[in-house]
């Protein structure tokens, strides 16, 4: 049932929480955990600090909820691909394409993961949800690799975590290092033809490795 917020407007609690998480994602991605301001999140969502703490207990808990939401988004995207119904090579090329497009379209996700690495994953360590969420992609890749080897499409018995890292590393780097890499080498990584070439390159590299 809709309830009235402190500013007098009616709110759906779930919608309000989602709005807070969307704004908090940008705030944490831009300023980090230490620099992010709950006051700013409250102002942009037309709520209050008290309401935010009612839903999320603390600034650190809100930050963790943002991380969990970000990982849930990409894992849900992968599940929707129904990769188990595709032929092994097509499945991996689809996964590469989806990961590539996700990271390109969600630079805040890349920034959040980079920030959490600066903190040695101290906050992520407290999240059972993030660990559980990321089991699915490894199981999916393992299934694709097993089918590929069984069908004779792939010759190499690869570690699914290695393949996940190989895909993630290239897709992530293009976004996380876009400005430094672009400045050093005078190359715009967001240019459509460059992005198209890179997407094909990483898919071909993964498939070539598995067929080698």
């Amino acid at each position: 049932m809709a309830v009235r917020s402190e500013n007098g407007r009616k709110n759906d609690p779930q919608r309000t929480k989602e709005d807070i998480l969307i704004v908090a994602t940008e705030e944490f991605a831009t300023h980090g955990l230490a620099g992010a301001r709950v006051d700013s999140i409250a102002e942009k969502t037309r709520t209050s600090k008290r309401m935010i703490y009612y839903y999320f207990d603390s600034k650190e808990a809100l930050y963790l909820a943002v991380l969990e939401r970000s990982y849930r988004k990409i894992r849900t995207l992968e599940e929707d691909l129904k990769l188990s119904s595709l032929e092994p090579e097509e499945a991996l090329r689809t996964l590469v394409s989806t990961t590539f497009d996700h990271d390109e379209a969600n630079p805040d996700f890349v920034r959040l993961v980079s920030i959490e690495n600066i903190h040695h994953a101290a906050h992520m360590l407290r999240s059972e949800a993030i660990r559980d969420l990321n089991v699915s992609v490894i199981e999916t890749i393992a299934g694709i690799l097993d089918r590929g080897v069984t069908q004779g499409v792939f010759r190499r018995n690869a570690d699914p975590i290695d393949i996940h890292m190989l895909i993630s590393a290239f897709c992530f780097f293009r976004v996380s290092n876009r400005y430094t890499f672009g400045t050093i080498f005078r190359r715009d990584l967001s240019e459509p033809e460059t992005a198209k070439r890179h997407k094909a390159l990483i898919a071909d590299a993964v498939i070539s490795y598995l067929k080698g």
Side-chain angles (χ1 to χ4, degrees):
M1 183 177 71
V3 297
R4 288 192 177 274
S5 66
E6 293 178 359
N7 61 18
R9 67 189 179 100
K10 288 185 177 180
N11 277 326
D12 175 351
Q14 287 304 119
R15 176 60 183 271
T16 300
K17 287 176 70 175
E18 182 66 13
D19 288 346
I20 291 169
L21 286 169
I22 291 170
V23 172
T25 296
E26 182 180 358
E27 180 74 12
F28 286 124
T30 302
H31 302 289
L33 175 58
R37 296 178 59 249
V38 177
D39 281 330
S40 177
I41 297 168
E43 181 180 351
K44 291 175 182 176
T45 53
R46 296 175 61 201
T47 56
S48 66
K49 285 180 70 173
R50 188 167 73 173
M51 180 176 288
I52 291 172
Y53 288 143
Y54 171 78
Y55 285 130
F56 297 101
D57 295 328
S58 66
K59 180 181 177 182
E60 290 75 14
L62 175 59
Y63 170 74
L64 190 56
V66 163
L67 281 174
E68 290 173 349
R69 177 181 177 275
S70 296
Y71 275 101
R72 187 174 293 108
K73 181 178 178 180
I74 187 170
R75 298 290 87 96
T76 300
L77 190 63
E78 291 161 351
E79 289 175 7
D80 290 344
L81 297 173
K82 307 298 182 186
L83 296 176
S84 62
S85 66
L86 302 178
E87 291 300 311
E89 181 171 339
E90 182 186 0
L92 280 179
R93 289 187 180 277
T94 300
L95 180 60
V96 168
S97 179
T98 300
T99 304
F100 190 100
D101 291 343
H102 169 271
D103 288 1
E104 184 75 19
N106 294 276
D108 283 350
F109 170 76
V110 174
R111 294 190 193 104
L112 285 167
V113 174
S114 298
I115 289 167
E116 188 59 10
N117 272 289
I118 290 171
H119 294 290
H120 298 174
H123 304 90
M124 195 180 291
L125 283 169
R126 304 205 309 267
S127 174
E128 297 259 349
I130 289 177
R131 285 194 292 274
D132 292 343
L133 280 168
N134 286 282
V135 167
S136 63
V137 67
I138 304 305
E139 291 177 341
T140 297
I141 293 173
I144 295 169
L145 298 180
D146 286 345
R147 288 191 289 116
V149 171
T150 299
Q151 294 175 22
V153 177
F154 303 146
R155 296 174 58 189
R156 192 186 301 270
N157 286 306
D159 183 330
I161 295 178
D162 288 349
I163 299 302
H164 176 57
M165 177 181 281
L166 179 58
I167 295 169
S168 298
F170 196 110
C171 298
F172 191 95
F173 181 93
R174 291 187 72 263
V175 181
S176 66
N177 290 51
R178 172 168 295 164
Y179 299 108
T180 52
F181 197 86
T183 298
I184 293 168
F185 296 105
R186 302 293 191 269
R187 179 163 293 182
D188 181 4
L189 298 185
S190 64
E191 195 274 325
E193 283 302 314
T194 300
K196 181 180 178 181
R197 185 175 70 254
H198 284 175
K199 186 187 292 189
L201 187 154
I202 181 59
D204 288 348
V206 171
I207 299 302
S208 296
Y209 173 76
L210 293 171
K211 288 184 174 182

